Amino acid sequence: MRHDQLERELNLLLLLTENRSHTVDEICSRVGISRRTCYYYLESFRDWGFIIEKHGRCYSIDRRSPFFLRLFDLINFTDTEALTMMSLLNRLDDRDAVAERIRHKLDRYYDLKLLPDPALRERAARNTDMLYEAIKMKQMAVLKGYSSPHSSTVSDRIVEPFMLLNHGRELRAYELKTATNKTFKIARIADVQLIDLCWEYEDSHRQVFTDIFMFSGEQRHPVRLRLGQLSHNLMEEEYPQSAANMRPDGDRHWIFETEVASYVGIGRFILGLADDIEVLSDEGLLAYLKAKVAAMRIGVSARKEPSP
């Protein structure tokens, strides 16, 4: 029926306008269509004037498509307005449920992780705007006069910028000369110049991942725990973001699954509530905990030994 087809088309539009990209398999699973139908809809959307973006195997619809610009002309927030609202919300308690819902809605529609912090100085804000454009267009850039305290040098760096961090204060980029991913301080860049060249080393880009325990790194380690009532309550109180990774397992237990950049944060939590937590995976986490327990036993034994 035409009604069912229209419903699928609208659901697909809503899915593709979220602030993230989806693979064809994810789209088919979420909307309930075949791969052939998915490609048909994507081509139809292009014909209707929507801007379909493809990043690797993932698809999304650019919210700057003419239809959306007309539809939201009166009610849509500018990027600066959205960022200002997010900055105000971030001053509230993380446990404020209403504020968290508004943050989630803003984050789904706006690229707030790529936008500059309005409190930055004019030069830094201008440089951040240029880097934002480079990231969006997947262009190379030159960080002019970058001052590095580690090497005590001021030099130009040719990079492929791919992520702004820490509210636009830092840049994650792949440096061509050293063939490594680095984090640059925006305030230490004298100027940014875009190069009319597209990324060539996207496969080598490695983002810095920050887990809910506030540890960062390039690697991600999937972990799975079974929490009792005490550990579940403390987890959600101390780390409100963990609520999205919980699911009930019986009346008084919960399964917690997430990815961590380091075993230190989650290990500290587990060791403090060891009687109320069962580690289901992974092997790396189990090995880390065993090593920590062994080290603590050695330390306790050494303190108990009498002095000669």
Side-chain angles (χ1 to χ4, degrees), residues 65 86-87 103 113 128 160 170 211:
S65 297
M86 184 64 85
S87 299
R103 287 191 199 100
K113 292 188 174 100
T128 308
E160 292 183 356
E170 297 177 332
D211 61 32

Side-chain angles (χ1 to χ4, degrees), residues 137-204:
M137 303 305 295
K138 295 191 173 184
Q139 283 183 254
M140 293 186 188
V142 181
L143 309 184
K144 303 287 290 185
Y146 184 75
S147 177
S148 172
H150 300 292
S151 58
S152 299
T153 60
V154 177
S155 59
D156 295 346
R157 311 289 187 94
I158 300 177
V159 300
E160 292 183 356
F162 57 87
M163 175 172 280
L164 291 172
L165 306 168
N166 192 18
H167 302 290
R169 294 184 177 90
E170 297 177 332
L171 169 71
R172 189 68 174 169
Y174 179 85
E175 186 179 43
L176 274 65
K177 183 177 180 180
T178 59
T180 56
N181 294 287
K182 294 183 177 181
T183 301
F184 299 91
K185 298 286 187 181
I186 302 292
R188 295 174 186 166
I189 304 172
D191 192 19
V192 174
Q193 293 182 0
L194 301 188
I195 302 175
D196 192 20
L197 292 172
C198 295
W199 292 348
E200 295 182 5
Y201 306 97
E202 186 172 359
D203 290 344
S204 299

Side-chain angles (χ1 to χ4, degrees), residues 36-258:
R36 180 178 178 180
T37 302
C38 178
Y39 287 120
Y40 169 78
Y41 282 149
L42 291 174
E43 193 59 35
S44 296
F45 290 160
R46 287 193 183 96
D47 294 340
W48 298 339
F50 291 99
I51 301 172
I52 304 296
E53 293 187 327
K54 185 175 186 292
H55 304 289
R57 298 185 299 114
C58 297
Y59 292 86
S60 63
I61 292 181
D62 195 317
R63 59 187 173 85
R64 293 171 297 181
S65 297
F67 175 80
F68 291 131
L69 293 179
R70 294 196 304 271
L71 180 63
F72 296 115
D73 184 50
L74 295 177
I75 61 174
N76 186 36
F77 295 112
T78 65
D79 289 338
T80 303
E81 291 168 342
L83 180 64
T84 300
M85 287 191 293
M86 184 64 85
S87 299
L88 293 172
L89 290 169
N90 287 339
R91 298 175 188 174
L92 302 178
D93 193 321
D94 285 340
R95 301 172 197 174
D96 189 311
V98 175
E100 184 59 30
R101 285 199 301 272
I102 299 175
R103 287 191 199 100
H104 180 65
K105 289 181 178 180
L106 289 172
D107 194 47
R108 288 182 65 182
Y109 190 67
Y110 296 92
D111 290 329
L112 297 182
K113 292 188 174 100
L114 300 180
L115 291 174
D117 188 325
L120 292 174
R121 292 180 294 112
E122 182 178 350
R123 185 187 74 181
R126 184 177 65 251
N127 288 341
T128 308
D129 285 338
M130 294 292 289
L131 292 168
Y132 172 78
E133 186 67 19
I135 295 170
K136 201 73 173 173
M137 303 305 295
K138 295 191 173 184
Q139 283 183 254
M140 293 186 188
V142 181
L143 309 184
K144 303 287 290 185
Y146 184 75
S147 177
S148 172
H150 300 292
S151 58
S152 299
T153 60
V154 177
S155 59
D156 295 346
R157 311 289 187 94
I158 300 177
V159 300
E160 292 183 356
F162 57 87
M163 175 172 280
L164 291 172
L165 306 168
N166 192 18
H167 302 290
R169 294 184 177 90
E170 297 177 332
L171 169 71
R172 189 68 174 169
Y174 179 85
E175 186 179 43
L176 274 65
K177 183 177 180 180
T178 59
T180 56
N181 294 287
K182 294 183 177 181
T183 301
F184 299 91
K185 298 286 187 181
I186 302 292
R188 295 174 186 166
I189 304 172
D191 192 19
V192 174
Q193 293 182 0
L194 301 188
I195 302 175
D196 192 20
L197 292 172
C198 295
W199 292 348
E200 295 182 5
Y201 306 97
E202 186 172 359
D203 290 344
S204 299
H205 294 181
R206 298 291 182 271
Q207 299 179 1
V208 171
F209 164 65
T210 301
D211 61 32
I212 65 172
F213 302 96
M214 301 310 295
F215 283 84
S216 300
E218 291 187 0
Q219 293 186 331
R220 297 181 180 223
H221 307 285
V223 296
R224 189 164 174 261
L225 311 177
R226 187 170 187 260
L227 307 179
Q229 188 167 354
L230 175 60
S231 55
H232 165 263
N233 292 346
L234 289 176
M235 175 73 81
E236 291 197 344
E237 289 173 8
E238 295 178 14
Y239 308 100
Q241 291 178 317
S242 66
N245 304 87
M246 298 279 190
R247 60 179 174 84
D249 184 39
D251 294 333
R252 296 182 177 273
H253 290 87
W254 289 261
I255 298 298
F256 172 64
E257 294 183 82
T258 190

